[in-house]
Amino acid sequence: GLEDEVALFVDPHTTDFKSSWPEIDEMLDRIMSDSFRNKLLDHKGKGWVYNWHCMDHIGYENNPRKRDIGYLNILDFYRNKIIQTHSIQDALHWHFHPINFFKDAHICATSYNNSMFYLQQSITRRIVERNFFPVVNRAGFHSERPDSHLFLEQWIPFDPSNLSADPINEPKHQRDLSNGRFGDWRWAPSDWSIYHPHHDNYQIQGNCRRVIARVLNMKSRHRSITIDEVKKAFKNAQSGEDVYLGITNHDFREMSIEIDEFRGMLRQASLLYSNVDFFFSESVNAFQKILFKDVDLENNAIEFDLSIDQIQGVPTLVVKLTNGSFFGPQPWLALKTKSRKYYTDNFDVVIPDQEYSYTFDSQTIKLGEIDQIAVASNDKYGYQKVLRLLSGKDF
């Protein structure tokens, strides 16, 4: 009833936000330590692993919660933290918050189309400046829609974003989240299965390239992980199936409380299903072990070459596949000009799935204005390649 709804809405754990980098930094020092990670070890004797999905707060005009606005800021903070704490088991992945109509940093939205400039800028700058291209997505605001579905389908092979819940765990008592309002996964599987989505509906099985896995919240006011959900995953594994058990939380809350609560569930399920092994895992490794355990991954990994050729007297970037395959219909082109502007654009298709070109002329941009050219692509196995050419050195 209304009392339950209000109790969840004002729960101190879900409302007491960490509002500064020093507060987050102090928490990370605790939870990234060996002593915290190793409170519970998996069946290889390894401790907790973090997959940090880092967004950029960009494109906002109103910022009442004083979020850190700017490209690369959050990604750099976590890259540095991983180095400082020697956390080589952790990984950095992709997260994007679509921008609402009034550009408020504290308000949710779902449209990639309305945010495309900032989305392209974020990825392009990460490729050029940090050699980072996203391979794993977790949906911002838990939301995918047809426009984001089709964007992800071009570029990112692994998508642990399915927030489907059994009916008993649906947010029917959270009116702002009911009826598919943010996190519309009502038609998606809730049995911990991984699926290829349908072209017209990301929530159902189809023949698209990428795979979607299920991930539930930790100690949240909706669609949270429960002991019954953990037992469900272990039961599936007991029948011989490898299971991706996904959980998610946020660094603006006290993560140690949520992790300890989940580890309690994990201990309980592990005792009940003592013949089932569990492993803490970086996301790409988890997908590879579940989906491609019979594939010679390294020998099938993507490789390609870049060159600047003169084609009919015009400088042209040529991309040629040399091993494996591109994930989507084309690789990502990232350009940085000498005036420090960033662009992306479509390639021309020379040979489908094999060779692509991009012409530098008066219809696009003159090669003399370019400082860096970078090309990035994943493959369906989660391997990726990022190559670059530098002005004055390579062209």
Side-chain angles (χ1 to χ4, degrees):
L2 182 60
E3 290 182 359
D4 295 331
E5 180 178 350
V6 172
L8 279 170
F9 193 81
V10 300
D11 185 328
H13 178 72
T14 59
T15 59
D16 184 19
F17 292 168
K18 297 184 183 299
S19 58
S20 68
W21 279 128
E23 288 182 274
I24 294 173
D25 199 46
E26 184 277 331
M27 177 183 69
L28 295 180
D29 283 338
R30 286 186 281 109
I31 69 172
M32 295 176 77
S33 67
D34 288 342
S35 60
F36 182 82
R37 289 179 188 268
N38 296 338
K39 284 184 179 181
L40 177 65
L41 300 178
D42 65 18
H43 285 83
K44 285 187 176 180
K46 304 294 185 181
W48 193 266
V49 175
Y50 295 97
N51 291 279
W52 300 109
H53 288 259
C54 299
M55 63 173 290
D56 291 328
H57 290 299
I58 48 176
Y60 297 113
E61 295 178 357
N62 308 307
N63 186 25
R65 294 180 182 170
K66 297 182 172 23
R67 300 183 188 275
D68 189 348
I69 303 293
Y71 293 102
L72 305 174
N73 293 355
I74 299 172
L75 181 72
D76 284 350
F77 177 84
Y78 277 94
R79 288 184 75 156
N80 292 334
K81 201 66 190 173
I82 286 173
I83 294 170
Q84 291 168 11
T85 57
H86 309 289
S87 299
I88 60 173
Q89 66 272 58
D90 296 345
L92 299 169
H93 293 302
W94 171 251
H95 194 59
F96 179 74
H97 280 190
I99 300 165
N100 63 84
F101 293 134
F102 302 104
K103 299 186 176 181
D104 296 312
H106 62 299
I107 301 297
C108 302
T110 65
S111 175
Y112 270 35
N113 284 346
N114 290 343
S115 313
M116 190 57 68
F117 171 79
Y118 298 105
L119 173 60
Q120 292 179 333
Q121 283 287 300
S122 182
I123 292 179
T124 299
R125 289 167 186 251
R126 289 186 183 201
I127 293 170
V128 171
E129 301 297 345
R130 299 296 183 268
N131 219 50
F132 177 98
F133 187 58
V135 65
V136 184
N137 170 70
R138 193 187 72 74
F141 304 125
H142 304 294
S143 297
E144 291 188 15
R145 292 294 190 272
D147 57 342
S148 52
H149 164 47
L150 296 178
F151 179 88
L152 296 168
E153 186 59 22
Q154 295 179 72
W155 310 108
I156 304 180
F158 301 141
D159 188 7
S161 297
N162 172 14
L163 202 68
S164 62
D166 287 338
I168 194 172
N169 202 22
E170 272 290 323
K172 54 183 175 294
H173 298 306
Q174 299 297 298
R175 299 176 188 182
D176 60 324
L177 300 170
S178 62
N179 198 35
R181 178 70 171 139
F182 299 109
D184 189 4
W185 296 96
R186 291 169 291 177
W187 302 99
S190 61
D191 59 359
W192 293 115
S193 60
I194 297 174
Y195 67 100
H196 292 273
H198 189 280
H199 179 274
D200 294 333
N201 187 343
Y202 63 91
Q203 298 188 50
I204 64 175
Q205 179 79 33
N207 296 310
C208 284
R209 297 181 184 88
R210 81 183 188 286
V211 291
I212 297 179
R214 188 175 183 229
V215 57
L216 292 178
N217 287 317
M218 299 168 69
K219 203 173 176 59
S220 179
R221 64 188 178 96
H222 75 296
R223 299 191 180 103
S224 290
I225 190 73
T226 63
I227 182 58
D228 289 336
E229 288 288 2
V230 178
K231 288 178 181 177
K232 183 196 298 183
F234 272 74
K235 185 177 180 180
N236 292 351
Q238 190 178 51
S239 67
E241 174 187 348
D242 291 329
V243 179
Y244 187 108
L245 171 55
I247 49 175
T248 181
N249 58 358
H250 295 83
D251 64 0
F252 52 74
R253 295 207 302 255
E254 180 51 57
M255 294 174 64
S256 64
I257 295 172
E258 302 170 351
I259 294 169
D260 282 339
E261 182 178 278
F262 173 75
R263 284 193 287 210
M265 300 178 199
L266 200 55
R267 284 191 189 93
Q268 186 177 339
S270 185
L271 289 172
L272 186 62
Y273 295 90
S274 57
N275 59 333
V276 173
D277 294 342
F278 71 86
F279 307 97
F280 299 117
S281 181
E282 186 274 327
S283 290
V284 174
N285 289 337
F287 279 108
Q288 289 176 337
K289 290 182 183 300
I290 291 172
L291 299 174
F292 308 116
K293 54 190 173 185
D294 298 323
V295 177
D296 184 356
L297 292 176
E298 291 190 6
N299 285 331
N300 284 282
I302 185 171
E303 295 286 348
F304 57 84
D305 292 332
L306 302 183
S307 62
I308 298 290
D309 298 344
Q310 292 290 324
I311 298 179
Q312 296 182 340
V314 179
T316 303
L317 172 67
V318 177
V319 183
K320 292 184 179 180
L321 185 74
T322 58
N323 194 67
S325 59
F326 296 108
F327 173 70
Q330 64 178 345
W332 187 287
L333 173 64
L335 304 174
K336 180 183 179 182
T337 70
K338 293 176 180 176
S339 58
R340 299 185 62 81
K341 292 184 178 180
Y342 299 82
Y343 298 100
T344 185
D345 204 349
N346 291 304
F347 281 99
D348 295 319
V349 182
V350 180
I351 303 173
D353 304 318
Q354 295 289 322
E355 185 175 339
Y356 300 83
S357 67
Y358 187 80
T359 303
F360 293 96
D361 61 12
S362 59
Q363 305 298 313
T364 55
I365 189 168
K366 295 292 186 67
L367 187 61
E369 298 178 36
I370 298 295
D371 178 60
Q372 288 191 50
I373 301 167
V375 176
S377 180
N378 298 308
D379 64 21
K380 68 178 182 180
Y381 303 118
Y383 287 108
Q384 65 177 216
K385 193 77 175 180
V386 179
L387 292 179
R388 69 187 62 247
L389 301 174
L390 303 177
S391 173
K393 179 175 181 288
D394 302 305
F395 58 89

